[in-house]
Every structure is written in C-alpha cells, then in structure tokens.
Amino acid sequence: MSFRAVGQFPNYRPRRLRQSPALRRLVRETELSAGNLVLPLFVRSGKRRRDPIGSMPGVFQLSPDEALIEATKAFKLGIPAVLIFGIPDHKDKKASGAYHKNGIVQQIVRLLKKELPELLVITDVCLCEYMSHGHCGIVHEERHILNDASLPLLARTARSHAEAGADIVAPSDMMDGRVAAIRAELDKNGLEDTPILSYAAKFASAFYGPFREAAESAPKFGDRRSYQMDGANTNEAMREVAMDIAEGADMVMVKPALAYLDILHRVKTEFGYPTAAYAVSGEFSMIKAAAEKGWLDERGATLEALLSMRRAGADIIITYSAMDVARWLK
Ligand code: PBG
C-alpha cells in the first residue's frame, strides 16, 4: 500500500471519522477478540490446590481438578485454547518427568481432552521445569548446554504429549533442529496430523522473571543466553523463523511480545504464517503492579497492549489476562 503526500488531499480531515463510538467502530482496522487468545495454565499434582504465584497476582499453580475448572471457564468465555506448563514433583538431570507416560502434563492433557474435547490443548515442550539444574537441555560439566544430545529428549516429550492427546505441541527450548526432530518423531508414530507451534524467535529476556517463579524453572547457574536470542538481532530472528518453517513448523511465535513488536510485524509480513505473540509474565506483572498502586488502569493498559500485538501482526496472543480480557470484551 502506498500513501500520497497529505498535501494532495487538501480536504482530508481525519477527525471527521472520530466523532462517535459508532463511527470509530465502523472504520476500525484491527480487532481483538476472545477467539485470538490462549490461556496459559500451570499444573502440578494434588487435589483442590490453587497455590498463588506471588509475582503474578491472580495466577495460580493448579492441581488437575482445579485446572479443569479454570479451563472450563475459559472455554465458556470463548477462549479456544489453553497452553499447559507442568510443574513436576521430581526433577533430575535427564528431565524424565517431561516424557513420563503419567507425567503431570500427560495427566492434565488426558483429563482436558476427555472433559472438554473441543477446547484446544497446546503443550509447552521444554525440559527446564523437569531438570534439576533448570536449563532447557542436557548440561555438560555445569557449563555447556548440549544442543544435539537434547533433541531426542525434546522429541520424546512432544510425542508423549501428543500421545496423551495434545492438539498442538509448542517447543520453547530454542535448541537448533528441534522442530525437525519433533516432526520426525511425531510422523514416525502416527502423529502426522499434530501441528507444531514453534517458539521460533524467543529472546533471552528479563521479562520472563515472574514465570520462573511460577514454573519453578529458574536456571541454577548461568543464564539462557547461549540458546535464547540476543535482543539486538532482527535478521537473526528472520533466520530462526525461516529455519523452523523449513523444518516443519505450522505456526511460529515471537516472544516476548511488547518489546519485540517490530519482530512480530516483520515475521508476519515476510512469512505470512499463522503467527503467535506471547505476552509474557513480566508484561503481565508490570501492568498488575502499576494497577495495584493505582498508577495505571489495568483494563485500559492491558487491552491497549494486546491490541498493539494484533496490529503488529499477531493472529494468536498468549496471555495470562485471557479470562479478564474475554470478560471485558463481552
Ligand atoms: C520455558 C519457557 C519460559 C517461558 C515459556 N516457556 C521461560 C524461560 O525461557 O525461561 C516464559 C513465559 C513467560 O515469561 O510468561 N523455557
């Protein structure tokens, strides 16, 4: 699309189209609706458990029965999908809880698919929550993350989620080659129809802080900069996305969202793939904290932030505010 110089339209007065709510609605270019949203859920073992997460007001670690209640509310509000994160009872150096047939994710997936078959269940495929050291792959001598050695574990985790009934698997580890490894493993096991939503451009970010409390997945040493992206790089993000698509990703994600809207826009315009934005924990918590102090209007700030993601090109928005937003939009 190209615009002529404003001087060529001496009679154009943009304000004319802003005079009333109805007029503004008529010419609105972007819409945010519940149908775009995905609600993340943190699930751990037990019954009737709703453990509050201090850094994320209103978000809980839920036992499967409580997660089902939450998912049912979300579904009734018109939210089409949930994203599952598991918090295992047991962590080790090979993340065995991630691909155990009766792991916490596998249990909740089976329960949700049985009770709410129409709700899409997306699973986060990562090893960090299941590793005693908190990194997203196998660690060598407390220093290096072994990329290739981690791939079979990730593939096995994704397969076990899909076998439990997950509708979509979403690898968030950022190991190179994991989409291909997961695709091959799924295809070999009769799961060729399970789509992959890859966290394609995932940046090493301070905005994940509250999540690491929520998922109990903070690395015990070092950080994630050897595998997550450097926030300074745009072209590299395009290569990451291109690679994941070539390897078989059906949908791609940019994460975080608010500080990376330029990346989101470029990913959507250059690849035209179904694109997700993850409004991460820090984006959620900073609005909550400011709202608690009375410094920001929570509803206004949240809707404005999420709308900016839609405007930048997101088809899908993963947000901890999904239920509130769905209510506000009603
Ligand atoms: C797992 C994972 C993380 C997030 C989603 N999946 C944390 C991380 O990479 O440290 C962050 C989500 C959020 O902050 O809301 N690797």
Side-chain angles (χ1 to χ4, degrees), residues 105-114 121 123 161 164-166:
V105 171
Q106 291 77 357
Q107 286 176 41
I108 184 66
V109 169
R110 274 188 227 111
L111 180 66
L112 290 174
K113 288 317 294 180
K114 179 162 158 268
V121 178
T123 56
H161 291 178

Side-chain angles (χ1 to χ4, degrees), residues 124 126 172 202 208 211-212 224 228 255 280-281 320:
D124 182 90
C126 197
S172 69
K202 175 172 175 178
Y208 304 151
F211 173 95
R212 293 180 186 167
R224 302 210 203 287
Q228 298 183 351
K255 175 182 173 195
V280 301
S281 54
Y320 302 98

Side-chain angles (χ1 to χ4, degrees), residues 2 59 81 128 158 169 279 296:
S2 71
V59 182
C128 59
V169 292
L296 269 183

